[in-house]
Amino acid sequence: MRTKRLLLGTLTVLAIAGTTTILPTTSASAKRAVTPTNFRGTWQTRINKKTVRNLKITKFTFGVTDYKNGKAEEGAWTVGDKKQKHSKSPFKWTPLYLHKDKKGYTFIGANRLGQLWHLKRVTHKKRAALRDDGWAYKSFGEKPVVQYYYRVK
């Protein structure tokens, strides 16, 4: 009788200790996407004589702003920023999406509404640049367009 109690008590203790060590601890929050370090900073390209487009890439955010005659135009947006309390951006609270493909390109942006950018770090005209392979919509259909964004100091 005593050996049965001792055996039952030992098995109970081992069962409780075994389940607490086997069960993994999980956190409720998801991990945020982190941009590559060689992409971080402010990059710009000239769209036409009066319009410039800036890309601002930080560790957790990706933002696009167009400037016309030196003034920011409406339609600027940022993804991945958790601090946008009073933003009018349509991507407010949208997580940053990052995916690298086999050719060295990185898809970065919002994974909805077609706001993904296809970027690759290259050297163009002896300067560090981000190459963007995008599409331009003309009256006769789609046309592939390559733009280069240069670092702004």
Side-chain angles (χ1 to χ4, degrees), residues 106-147:
T106 301
F107 290 96
I108 184 171
N111 194 14
R112 62 180 178 152
L113 303 174
Q115 295 299 328
L116 282 178
W117 292 60
H118 198 216
L119 299 175
K120 182 177 184 177
R121 176 76 184 256
V122 294
T123 302
H124 184 253
K125 296 183 180 179
K126 298 181 181 179
R127 294 175 63 189
L130 290 180
R131 177 185 167 128
D132 175 29
D133 291 343
W135 294 90
Y137 297 98
K138 302 289 184 184
S139 59
F140 52 85
E142 294 182 0
K143 178 183 174 187
V145 173
V146 176
Q147 287 184 327

Side-chain angles (χ1 to χ4, degrees), residues 31-37 39-40 57-61 96-100 106 108:
K31 290 186 178 180
R32 295 173 69 183
V34 177
T35 60
T37 54
F39 279 24
R40 295 180 197 166
I57 304 172
T58 64
K59 186 173 183 178
F60 297 114
T61 64
L96 177 65
Y97 175 81
L98 276 170
H99 175 74
K100 294 181 183 178
T106 301
I108 184 171

Side-chain angles (χ1 to χ4, degrees), residues 4-98:
K4 286 184 181 179
R5 283 187 192 175
L6 184 61
L7 184 61
L8 185 62
T10 306
L11 287 175
T12 305
V13 168
L14 288 175
I16 292 171
T19 57
T20 57
T21 57
I22 292 174
L23 296 175
T25 58
T26 58
S27 63
S29 64
K31 290 186 178 180
R32 295 173 69 183
V34 177
T35 60
T37 54
N38 59 354
F39 279 24
R40 295 180 197 166
T42 304
W43 304 81
Q44 90 175 13
T45 190
R46 183 165 298 282
I47 297 174
N48 57 37
K49 284 186 176 183
K50 297 182 179 183
T51 308
V52 173
R53 175 170 292 154
N54 274 8
L55 302 180
K56 185 174 181 184
I57 304 172
T58 64
K59 186 173 183 178
F60 297 114
T61 64
F62 175 75
V64 178
T65 308
D66 288 342
Y67 292 91
K68 189 168 188 176
N69 295 327
K71 295 180 181 177
E73 289 187 319
E74 288 189 27
W77 53 272
T78 302
V79 290
D81 193 0
K82 290 189 170 186
K83 299 176 185 175
Q84 294 180 342
K85 292 183 180 177
H86 305 291
S87 174
K88 295 179 182 177
S89 173
F91 302 108
K92 185 176 178 181
W93 309 110
T94 303
L96 177 65
Y97 175 81
L98 276 170

